[in-house]
């Protein structure tokens, strides 16, 4: 029993990261109706931004300290927000009026570009780099249950970020504009909403969350390399679909659920080698039986 | 559209008709190398390539082989299946390579081997450990030991030195190297009277292992065998400590890299692994290699792939010298006759199966460095 | 109508004859280029078969490599177990099993559109890969090795010609108009009495069949197949050929397959930039000419 509890704790920490990434996917899908394949690589960029920033800031702020962690996270998120907005402006905005499939393929192209350019020696190089410790890591468990302080930080910060996001989306004018655009773009434009700006903002926000997720991911597994975003990105996407794509609480729920399921199943000896496939099986089951996701609403197609 | 197909057929015919066998120039020896320089396993290919290049540069600086310089032509296979065949075809049929060096991964070596065998071009793999590679034919060699040997080495080590009765195995299910090593370890360990209490899998490249590690911990092992590569090994050690799994972790030669301690830091202290060489065990040649490598590559320390890449090139050169020529059959015979060659990774004798017979060394991580524990002879 | 068929059949036989001719003279050709040419033939089959699903019927499938894997593994296992003489039957069986998998993938995917379909097919492709990776019968992570090199130029290009012929005839027939109708407007099509379900599933099944054949040819060309060779990057490579050729234009897709197979080999000199160039090509193509490089306007 305590083993199961331990697995659930393990899974929640992993799931929080998936939730943060899934939110980005779902927000972009909400306003643009398209899946941003390059999202997973923004995660990677966030981790690398932190990698380069940490040693620069450590002398002034103190190595492995809260100010350092805070500064690195905020700065990396800001950098990635800009990168996300840049990608939207250069690669997706010109295709706004095109069929969805065209943009999807462009997104795949951007993703591949970020990954392979990153692998080039002059950029990041293909080798795994050791991620610096931003906070001192200690065992914060009790009794037979172990949880590292890093995992605890991830859980707490994710909850905080979810709360902030909820606040922005539900209680601010910007958030209302976002919801308007995702509901009906043309009507929103007619009501005076600057659609381009809202879309940019959405990308920026999603990318910032992805960057934070990337840093959290690197804190738990301190080896970063240009392809590191692929697997978590895919899982987070599945989480977004699981919760109902376009639905923010759904994405968060989906992320946590997927993290726990993956961890619990991964711990079962005969099933652990299928761990890759489990996430995809969940995806297919959801899309077959409840395509709108756990919290989504079914959409009726009008003729 | 049939027209289009037909036209393309004609085009292809024209291209093909114009091209025949290429060849190297008379006063150089063209050696082909294929490696995963980009893609998922780029780090291994790049390491092995760096070692090979260092060897070729040293040989050429000393006057070449049989008076001729070695021209190393390297082709990238992007870590992708299907590419190695094209790369090796190009090296042999277009460039006229007299020998092929490669590859690190057994699956990619196996892709190239039938081509080299059919063309009578000797192939030397630096670090493919799957027995099937050299079974392809008499032109295929390797300079590393094979999985059955290494698995037995670690099994005996676990039993005798670690004095463990119960071991858990954590295998990289995506890597045939890992699975092979796990299989032979299990056979040897159970044959010696030990018990495998848990067997779990992970996917190489994964970053979260806590699910599996928690189950392993629950099975109460006295040690965990992780026959994978250094990045995964380091992360596994870190996460094991985080969930309170405090028994010794150990692995095979895939662990050997400075990245193990760079990434693993405190968590890998006290872990063990088997490998091909150690500067302490290898004597002056090993040390000279490490110094030369550091000088050539900006202070980087070589890992096992780099050392083996170096050795594969050196042994080839030695065989060419002994064969006194570059015909495939002669090089093949010279390679097969290699006995007690003093390589960086130990004394190498090529046995009847064209595998390298050499000792393994066991190292332990102490103070962030690899400390020599013992040598196990075949 | 009959004139078209007479034309098509003549070219089919001519293409097959030429392919056999080249094969017989294979000894005098440089093996490196011959190998590439066979790769091209295989990729033509893959691109044209995907085109039926993506281009003509408008279903965005990102899991084509999965069908290729099924065909490849089944065919290879057959010749490994029962001998090289079974090459043609093995290819056929590989194709049939792949078609069955296509059926299994096509049926549940019916209700899904656009993005969702893409993701589900990607998921299926990955599941297929994971199944082969875990199956000891199929060699698990190592895959199957020591496969006899039975794919000659004749086989690859001959079967490519057959694939093109079948797909082209299918789409140009009265029955085949249904594919395009489903592509253009599914609801209108069903209002006209065309059963979109039947067409969508047929597209998947036939597309998968030929992808399976391509997989079998691939396995007997490279002598080694492993699960990592059939991942979604491979699927994307085939998709790029279809996009570049112009979805629905068979001639364009063939040309795109040829170019995209030869290009990486030509770019060996700048090997480290290969994938970077490739990804920029995708982006550039979408931004400037999303209808493909070789599209001529389709007759309405």
């Amino acid at each position: 029993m305590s083993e199961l509890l331990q697995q659930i704790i393990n899974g929640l920490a992993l799931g929080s990261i998936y939730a943060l990434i899934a939110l980005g996917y779902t927000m972009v899908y909400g306003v643009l109706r398209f899946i941003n394949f390059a999202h997973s690589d923004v995660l990677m960029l966030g981790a690398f931004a932190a990698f380069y920033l940490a040693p620069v800031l450590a002398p002034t702020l103190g190595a492995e300290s809260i100010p350092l962690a805070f500064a690195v996270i905020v700065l990396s998120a800001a950098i990635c927000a800009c990168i996300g907005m840049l990608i939207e402006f250069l690669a997706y905005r010109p295709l706004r009026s095109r069929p969805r499939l065209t943009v999807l393929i462009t997104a795949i192209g951007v993703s591949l570009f970020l990954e392979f350019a990153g692998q080039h020696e002059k950029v990041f190089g293909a080798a795994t780099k050791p991620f610096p410790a931003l906070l001192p890591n200690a065992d914060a468990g009790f009794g037979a249950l172990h949880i590292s302080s890093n995992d605890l930080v991830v859980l707490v910060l994710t909850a905080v970020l979810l709360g902030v996001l909820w606040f922005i989306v539900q209680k601010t004018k910007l958030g209302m504009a976002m919801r308007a655009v995702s509901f009906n773009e043309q009507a929103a434009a007619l009501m005076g909403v600057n659609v381009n700006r809202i879309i940019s903002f959405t990308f920026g926000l999603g990318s910032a969350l992805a960057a934070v997720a990337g840093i959290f991911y690197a804190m738990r597994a301190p080896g970063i390399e240009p392809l590191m975003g692929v697997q978590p990105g895919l899982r987070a996407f599945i989480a977004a679909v699981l919760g109902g794509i376009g639905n923010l609480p759904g994405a968060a729920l989906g992320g946590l659920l997927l993290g726990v399921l993956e961890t619990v199943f991964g711990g079962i000896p005969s099933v652990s080698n299928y761990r890759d496939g489990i996430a995809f099986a969940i995806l297919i089951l959801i899309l077959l039986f409840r395509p709108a996701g756990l919290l989504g609403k079914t959409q009726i197609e009008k003729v | 559209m049939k027209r289009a197909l037909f036209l393309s057929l004609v085009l292809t015919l024209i291209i093909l008709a114009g091209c025949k066998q290429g060849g190297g120039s008379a006063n150089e020896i063209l050696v082909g190398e294929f490696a995963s320089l980009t893609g998922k396993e780029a780090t291994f290919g790049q390491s092995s390539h760096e070692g090979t290049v260092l060897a070729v540069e040293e040989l050429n600086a000393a006057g070449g082989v049989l008076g001729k310089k070695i021209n190393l032509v390297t082709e990238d296979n992007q870590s992708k299946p299907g590419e190695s065949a094209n790369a090796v075809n190009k090296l042999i049929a277009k460039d006229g390579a007299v020998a092929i060096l490669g590859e690190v991964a057994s699956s990619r070596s196996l892709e190239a081997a039938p081509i080299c065998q059919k063309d009578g071009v000797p192939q030397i793999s630096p670090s493919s450990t799957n027995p099937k590679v050299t079974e392809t034919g008499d032109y295929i060699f390797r300079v590393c030991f094979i999985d059955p040997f290494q698995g037995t080495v670690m099994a005996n080590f676990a039993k005798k030195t670690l004095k463990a009765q119960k071991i858990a195995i954590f295998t990289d299910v995506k890597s045939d190297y890992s699975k092979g090593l796990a299989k032979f370890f299990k056979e040897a360990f159970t044959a010696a009277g030990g018990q495998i209490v848990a067997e779990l899998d992970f996917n190489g490249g994964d970053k979260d292992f806590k699910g599996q590690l928690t189950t392993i911990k629950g099975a109460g092992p006295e040690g965990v065998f992780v026959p994978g590569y250094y990045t995964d090994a380091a992360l596994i050690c870190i996460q094991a400590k985080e969930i309170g799994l405090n028994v010794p972790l150990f692995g095979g030669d895939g662990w050997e890299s400075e990245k193990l301690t760079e990434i693993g830091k405190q968590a890998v202290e006290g872990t063990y692994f088997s490998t091909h060489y150690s500067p302490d065990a290898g004597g002056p040649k090993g040390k000279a290699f490490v110094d030369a490598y550091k000088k050539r590559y900006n202070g980087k320390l070589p890992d096992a792939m780099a050392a083996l890449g170096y050795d594969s090139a050196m042994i080839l050169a030695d065989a060419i010298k002994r064969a006194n020529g570059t015909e495939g059959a002669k090089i093949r015979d010279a390679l097969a006759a290699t006995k007690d060659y003093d390589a960086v990774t130990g004394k190498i004798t090529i046995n009847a199966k064209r595998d390298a017979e050499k000792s393994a060394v066991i190292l332990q991580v102490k103070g962030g460095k690899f400390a020599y524990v013992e040598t196990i002879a075949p | 109508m009959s004139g078209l068929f007479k034309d098509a059949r003549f070219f089919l036989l001519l293409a097959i004859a030429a392919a056999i001719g080249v094969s017989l003279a294979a000894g005098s050709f440089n093996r490196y280029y011959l190998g590439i040419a066979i790769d091209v033939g295989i990729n033509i089959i893959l691109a044209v078969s995907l085109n039926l699903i993506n281009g003509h019927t408008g279903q965005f499938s990102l899991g084509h490599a999965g069908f290729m894997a099924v065909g490849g593994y089944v065919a290879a296992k057959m010749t490994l177990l029962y001998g090289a003489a079974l090459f043609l039957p093995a290819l056929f069986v590989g194709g049939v099993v792949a078609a069955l998998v296509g059926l299994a993938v096509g049926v549940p995917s019916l209700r899904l559109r656009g993005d969702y379909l893409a993701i589900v097919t990607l998921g299926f492709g990955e599941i297929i890969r994971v199944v082969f990776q875990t199956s000891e019968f199929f060699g698990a992570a190592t895959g199957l090795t020591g496969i006899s090199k039975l794919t000659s130029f004749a086989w690859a290009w001959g079967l490519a010609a057959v694939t093109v012929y079948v797909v082209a005839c299918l789409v140009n027939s009265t029955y085949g108009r249904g594919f395009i109708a489903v592509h253009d407007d599914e609801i209108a099509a069903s209002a006209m009495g065309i059963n979109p379900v039947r067409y969508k599933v047929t597209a998947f099944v036939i597309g998968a069949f030929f992808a399976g054949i391509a997989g079998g040819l691939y396995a007997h060309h490279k002598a080694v197949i492993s699960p990592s060779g059939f991942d979604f990057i491979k699927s994307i490579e085939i998709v790029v050929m279809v996009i570049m050729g112009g979805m629905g234009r068979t001639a364009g897709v063939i040309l795109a397959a040829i170019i995209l197979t030869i290009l990486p080999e030509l770019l060996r000199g700048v090997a480290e930039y290969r994938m970077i160039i490739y990804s920029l090509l995708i982006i550039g193509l979408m931004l400037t000419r999303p209808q493909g490089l070789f599209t001529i306007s389709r007759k309405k």
Side-chain angles (χ1 to χ4, degrees), chain A residues 243-257:
Chain A
I245 194 146
N247 184 312
L248 291 177
L253 180 67
L256 292 171
L257 201 56

Side-chain angles (χ1 to χ4, degrees), chain A residues 241 282-292, chain C residues 108 111-112 116-117 119-120:
Chain A
V241 173
I282 294 177
L283 173 73
I284 291 179
L285 286 172
I286 272 287
L287 282 175
L288 291 183
F289 295 113
R290 218 191 137 87
Chain C
R111 294 177 272 156
L112 304 168
Y116 282 119
L117 182 61
I119 298 303
V120 159

Side-chain angles (χ1 to χ4, degrees), chain B residues 43-225:
Chain B
T43 42
F44 303 136
Q46 284 174 3
S47 267
S48 143
H49 175 62
E50 284 168 1
T52 308
V53 164
L54 183 64
V56 170
E57 286 175 355
E58 282 183 8
L59 287 164
N60 283 343
V65 178
L66 298 177
K68 300 187 195 164
K69 295 254 187 255
I70 298 184
N71 181 2
L72 182 71
V73 179
T74 310
E75 290 298 338
D76 178 25
N77 56 34
Q78 295 184 53
S79 314
K80 264 201 226 170
E83 288 291 314
S84 301
N86 286 349
V88 171
N89 265 332
K90 172 188 176 285
L91 289 167
I92 298 180
K94 182 163 182 265
D95 299 328
V98 302
I100 298 286
L101 295 174
E103 220 244 21
V104 167
S106 298
S107 56
R108 295 192 285 272
S109 289
L110 282 166
E111 204 181 303
I115 301 174
C116 294
Q117 179 66 25
K118 184 148 175 262
D119 286 340
V121 175
Q123 176 188 355
I124 305 182
S125 162
S127 55
S128 291
T129 48
N130 188 318
K132 282 200 196 150
V133 174
T134 45
E135 284 169 19
T136 309
D138 60 346
Y139 277 90
I140 317 298
F141 298 83
R142 69 176 114 218
V143 293
C144 53
F145 42 59
I146 54 177
D147 287 331
F149 173 62
Q150 206 184 170
T152 314
V153 163
M154 286 319 282
N156 290 337
F157 174 76
K159 200 102 202 344
K160 300 197 188 106
T161 314
L162 289 181
K163 304 222 190 327
Q165 259 307 107
K166 298 196 235 168
I167 297 280
I169 305 183
F170 197 20
T171 315
D172 178 350
V173 74
K174 251 192 180 156
S175 153
D176 56 341
Y177 155 76
S178 179
K179 292 188 68 170
L181 202 48
K183 176 171 145 211
F184 294 115
F185 175 88
K186 184 177 170 184
E187 278 171 18
F189 192 70
T190 39
Q195 192 199 355
I196 307 290
V197 294
E199 281 176 74
L200 276 112
D201 301 313
F202 65 94
N203 276 293
D206 256 0
K207 301 285 192 308
D208 183 274
F209 310 97
K210 287 190 174 168
Q212 296 95 311
L213 287 170
T214 305
T215 306
I216 288 178
K217 183 177 162 207
E222 291 162 351
V224 184
F225 182 51

Side-chain angles (χ1 to χ4, degrees), chain C residues 179-249:
Chain C
F179 289 116
I180 304 171
V182 169
H183 177 167
D184 284 342
D185 192 332
E186 206 174 305
I187 299 173
S190 61
M192 296 291 286
I194 293 174
N195 186 344
V197 172
R198 182 136 53 100
Y199 279 94
K200 286 166 142 187
V201 174
T202 307
F204 262 103
V205 168
I206 296 183
F209 174 75
F210 284 110
I213 301 256
L217 287 169
Y218 179 86
H220 292 86
H221 175 47
K222 302 284 179 184
V224 166
I225 51 172
S226 60
S228 54
F230 301 110
D231 60 2
F232 86 103
I233 298 278
K234 183 92 191 153
S235 291
I236 288 180
E237 285 174 10
I238 311 172
V239 166
V240 172
M241 288 178 206
V242 170
I243 307 273
M244 190 168 140
M247 316 248 276
R249 303 269 52 176

Side-chain angles (χ1 to χ4, degrees), chain B residues 260-282:
Chain B
L260 184 74
T261 42
E262 233 180 76
I263 298 174
K265 302 196 188 114
Q266 264 310 104
V268 294
E269 279 293 313
T271 56
Y272 302 90
F273 57 93
S274 63
T275 184
H276 309 267
Y277 88 114
S278 145
D280 304 313

